């Protein structure tokens, strides 16, 4: 923006709020031209987003009208009773592809293919890809119900980690939480780690936020309080 009031400001447009939230949290305070970036949500959507949504709504309305027209009962004739119109081949195909069985099968195939591809990569490349997934998804995590377990304390115990997990990967996940102190991997013990925080409450917040976080298609982190 070139007006005096807007000098030094810019608008960045994303396709959805999840991606914009990830960018906001990842880049907040980043040094840019020797100044920290200050990022916040705009007060309203951009014109391009409004246009896309209007087009999507118009398409949905047209499809709904077409479906309603196709499913409307025909006027009965005296000489021959009307019969309900059978679904077209396209409608049958869409219904089949959207069925729960097909969607579940597709999800399983996708996860298996991703895991197979990951296993074929060299160790450093597997680590790099896992670290990239962590960085991209760590700001999109929802909280989960708290499961009764060990009494809360300032140290978390992580399990079900991929064998390629490094300290740097886990730091990307946990350093975004207030009170983070350190990540400790256990030599000779793959798949587990400990994360230290300053206070019990800070550890609890990180635990609830990252519980069952999918670090790979087949590895969901299990987090509990470490035994004292």
């Amino acid at each position: 923006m070139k007006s005096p009031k807007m000098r030094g400001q810019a608008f960045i447009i994303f396709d959805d709020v999840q991606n914009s939230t990830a960018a906001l949290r990842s880049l907040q305070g980043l040094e840019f031209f020797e100044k920290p970036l200050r990022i916040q949500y705009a007060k309203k959507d951009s014109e391009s987003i409004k246009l896309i949504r209007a087009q999507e709504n118009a398409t949905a309305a047209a499809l709904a009208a077409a479906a309603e027209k196709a499913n409307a009962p025909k006027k009965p004739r005296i000489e021959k009773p009307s019969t309900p119109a059978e679904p077209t081949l396209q409608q049958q195909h869409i219904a089949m592809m959207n069925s729960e069985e097909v969607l579940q099968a597709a999800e399983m195939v996708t996860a298996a293919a991703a895991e197979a591809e990951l296993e074929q990569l060299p160790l450093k490349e597997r680590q790099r890809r896992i670290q990239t997934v962590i960085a991209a998804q760590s700001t999109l995590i929802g909280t989960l119900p708290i499961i009764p377990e060990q009494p809360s304390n300032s140290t978390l115990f992580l399990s079900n980690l991929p064998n390629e997990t490094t300290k740097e990967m886990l730091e990307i996940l946990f350093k975004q939480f207030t009170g983070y102190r350190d990540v400790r991997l256990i030599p000779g013990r793959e798949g587990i780690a400990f994360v230290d925080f300053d206070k019990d409450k800070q550890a609890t917040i990180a635990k609830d936020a990252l519980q069952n976080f999918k670090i790979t298609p087949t590895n969901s982190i299990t987090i509990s309080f470490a035994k004292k």
Side-chain angles (χ1 to χ4, degrees), residues 7-171:
R7 186 168 181 173
Q9 302 183 36
F11 293 91
I12 311 297
I13 303 171
F14 288 84
D15 55 356
D16 57 45
V17 68
Q18 287 82 7
N19 286 329
S20 66
T21 300
L24 184 150
R25 295 183 180 177
S26 299
L27 300 177
Q28 187 70 266
L30 178 71
E31 288 289 330
F32 188 70
F33 286 103
E34 300 181 352
K35 292 183 180 181
L37 286 177
R38 289 183 294 179
I39 309 174
Q40 62 186 24
Y41 297 107
K43 294 181 179 179
K44 58 182 180 180
D45 286 330
S46 69
E47 293 301 324
S48 60
I49 295 297
K50 291 181 180 179
L51 178 60
I52 292 173
R53 289 179 178 173
Q55 292 174 343
E56 291 175 347
N57 292 336
T59 302
L63 292 175
E68 183 178 357
K69 183 178 180 180
N71 294 327
K74 296 181 179 180
K75 185 177 181 180
R77 297 179 181 178
I78 297 176
E79 67 275 11
K80 186 178 181 181
S82 63
T83 56
E86 294 184 359
T88 64
L89 290 177
Q90 182 182 9
Q91 291 172 331
Q92 293 178 19
H93 177 72
I94 292 174
M96 180 186 70
M97 294 305 295
N98 287 331
S99 64
E100 183 176 353
E101 293 81 2
V102 172
L103 293 177
Q104 289 179 350
E107 184 177 351
M108 292 175 61
V109 170
T110 301
E115 183 65 18
E117 179 184 359
L118 193 64
E119 289 295 332
Q120 294 176 2
L121 296 173
L123 176 60
K124 289 187 176 180
E125 178 63 14
R126 289 204 302 270
Q127 291 177 341
R128 187 191 68 79
R129 291 202 178 186
I130 293 173
Q131 188 165 347
T132 301
V133 171
I134 293 174
Q137 296 183 2
S138 61
T139 58
L140 306 178
I141 304 163
T143 58
L144 297 172
I146 299 176
I147 302 174
E149 47 170 340
Q150 293 290 329
S152 63
N153 59 74
S154 60
T155 301
L156 300 177
F157 174 68
L158 315 183
S159 59
N160 199 36
L161 298 171
N163 295 339
E164 301 83 7
T165 302
T166 64
K167 181 175 181 178
E168 290 75 18
M169 294 177 186
L170 296 178
E171 283 180 339

